[in-house]
Amino acid sequence: MLPSKTTDVLVFGYAAHGASTAMRERIAQFSLALGKLARAELAVYEAASYEDLARAVVVGEVDFAWLPPLAFIALERRGSAAALVSAQRGGDTAFYSAIIVRRDSGLEAPEDLAGARAAWVDRYSASGYVVPRVGLAAVGIDPRVAFAEERFWHSHEAVVRAVVAGRADFGATYAGVGTGGEITRGSWMDVQGADEVVRALVQFGAIPGDVVAARAALAEPKREVLTRALIAISLQEEHRLVLKDAFGIDEMRPFSSAGYDALRRLAEEASKRGLLQGDAVDDDDDDDDDDDDEPAEEHADESLGETMDRRDLDETQDVGDLGETNERDIVRDPD
């Protein structure tokens, strides 16, 4: 239950679909620590999906939110949000998309995914849907028709667990990559026992990182206070641990727009080519909220749809590094 917006409470929003009780507790600890640093009372909005989170920002139910890059791009384009900070993992604000499979699956190359069961994160997840579909298309796998089954699991952890349990043959999620092309981190490394069961088959990227953004109408002094608090929480050791536990983030930095234009163009090009169309359905097996039984697109806000709007595509533009995902960009798991 959110407090009345007539009170001087700032509401922090994040996509909570599929979040465990432990994760929700970590987010609460993060919000408490952030509120102390900002000297403000904070409340938490647990969004059912990225679409729900975007809607809450647009209508003013949420004052600032942890947003994946595509959701942020859509909100910024319609003038509904302004970035405060960029998230940094492993010394880099960029991350990659990785296709993971079970180690005992026998799937050894992207071509082997034809006829497989796919686990995606969310229709508006860059690493968990958009970028891997473009990447697979670049190596000859048509994501519109290639798979026997497609499901949205609504969180990276849920995608990992689906692959581990054999409910999906492969999943798309995020990963960090070192200077030598080796995978240094990934969502499966944060799920107990998963690293022993799954491996990365292929990776695509790079993708600009998550953003904490404020609703456009939030007063500038409050934005500045939140920005300072977000940066500070990642510099003080006792708070940094909370941030790491809550979001897997090492540091917050002042927002940099590098990479976001390329991602927007990639999404628009993918939409134009029809690569984001598919038969994926929502998996709600672990969902106790009746409101979440509807498909994600039932709650879609117009702002997110505009991210994929081909009418805004300048066909003379190069989609940049993200759009040039091809065989030379593929780094196979050394295992």
Side-chain angles (χ1 to χ4, degrees):
M1 182 72 178
L2 288 175
S4 168
K5 290 299 288 176
T6 60
T7 64
D8 194 23
V9 175
L10 293 176
V11 180
F12 169 68
Y14 75 103
H17 188 113
S20 64
T21 300
M23 174 60 75
R24 286 181 162 89
E25 290 175 351
R26 290 194 288 269
I27 300 296
Q29 292 173 357
F30 163 77
S31 300
L32 180 62
L34 183 64
K36 289 179 179 179
L37 287 172
R39 296 183 178 180
E41 184 179 354
L42 297 188
V44 176
Y45 180 91
E46 296 183 336
S49 65
Y50 292 150
E51 293 91 340
D52 179 35
L53 183 58
R55 179 203 58 78
V57 172
V58 170
V59 302
E61 292 179 3
V62 165
D63 294 302
F64 67 112
W66 192 289
L67 297 169
L70 283 175
F72 164 68
I73 289 170
L75 290 172
E76 184 186 46
R77 286 182 61 204
R78 67 171 290 167
S80 296
L84 302 178
V85 295
S86 298
Q88 183 183 49
R89 293 182 176 95
D92 197 348
T93 54
F95 61 103
Y96 289 72
S97 173
I99 298 291
I100 60 171
V101 299
R102 286 183 59 94
R103 292 183 180 273
D104 59 4
S105 68
L107 300 172
E108 301 295 338
E111 294 79 8
D112 297 336
L113 299 179
R117 296 168 298 162
W120 310 111
V121 174
D122 185 283
R123 192 176 303 277
Y124 300 105
S125 171
S127 63
Y129 188 66
V130 176
V131 170
R133 287 176 76 87
V134 174
L136 289 172
V139 295
I141 303 296
D142 187 343
R144 296 169 296 184
V145 297
F147 311 123
E149 179 182 286
E150 302 182 76
R151 286 186 178 273
F152 291 120
W153 292 82
H154 300 291
S155 75
H156 291 274
E157 179 180 341
V159 164
V160 173
R161 293 189 182 280
V163 175
V164 168
R167 300 183 69 184
D169 299 313
F170 75 90
T173 186
Y174 68 82
V177 177
T179 56
E182 74 283 4
I183 292 180
T184 57
R185 55 187 168 83
S187 61
W188 62 98
M189 298 178 187
D190 297 326
V191 177
Q192 186 174 6
D195 195 29
E196 300 173 0
V197 179
V198 304
R199 57 185 169 85
L201 177 71
V202 62
Q203 64 200 49
F204 306 104
I207 305 167
D210 292 350
V211 174
V212 178
R215 61 184 177 89
L218 187 67
E220 185 63 32
K222 291 184 178 179
R223 292 193 213 174
E224 292 176 357
V225 168
L226 286 172
T227 299
R228 289 196 297 270
L230 286 163
I231 293 173
I233 201 171
S234 66
L235 296 178
Q236 300 176 12
E237 190 61 31
E238 68 273 24
H239 298 313
R240 187 169 187 159
L241 293 175
V242 173
L243 184 65
K244 180 74 172 180
D245 285 344
F247 292 104
I249 295 300
D250 299 310
E251 188 177 348
M252 295 287 203
R253 290 186 175 180
F255 175 71
S256 170
S257 61
Y260 290 92
D261 286 343
L263 179 59
R264 175 183 58 81
R265 294 194 297 269
L266 176 73
E268 291 168 345
E269 175 66 16
S271 179
K272 179 184 178 183
R273 295 168 58 191
L275 298 179
L276 305 184
Q277 299 172 7
D279 296 325
V281 297
D282 291 276
D283 186 274
D284 293 316
D285 287 354
D286 298 324
D287 193 356
D288 295 327
D289 188 343
D290 291 341
D291 290 340
D292 292 337
D293 289 340
E294 301 174 38
E297 53 267 37
E298 294 283 316
H299 303 288
D301 181 85
E302 181 183 3
S303 62
L304 284 174
E306 289 171 356
T307 302
M308 315 301 182
D309 191 342
R310 71 182 66 182
R311 292 173 299 177
D312 294 328
L313 179 65
D314 180 353
E315 296 184 7
T316 65
Q317 291 180 310
D318 181 3
V319 293
D321 293 340
L322 281 165
E324 294 174 356
T325 309
N326 55 34
E327 190 64 32
R328 66 178 172 82
D329 293 313
I330 294 176
V331 181
R332 286 177 169 74
D333 187 340
D335 292 339

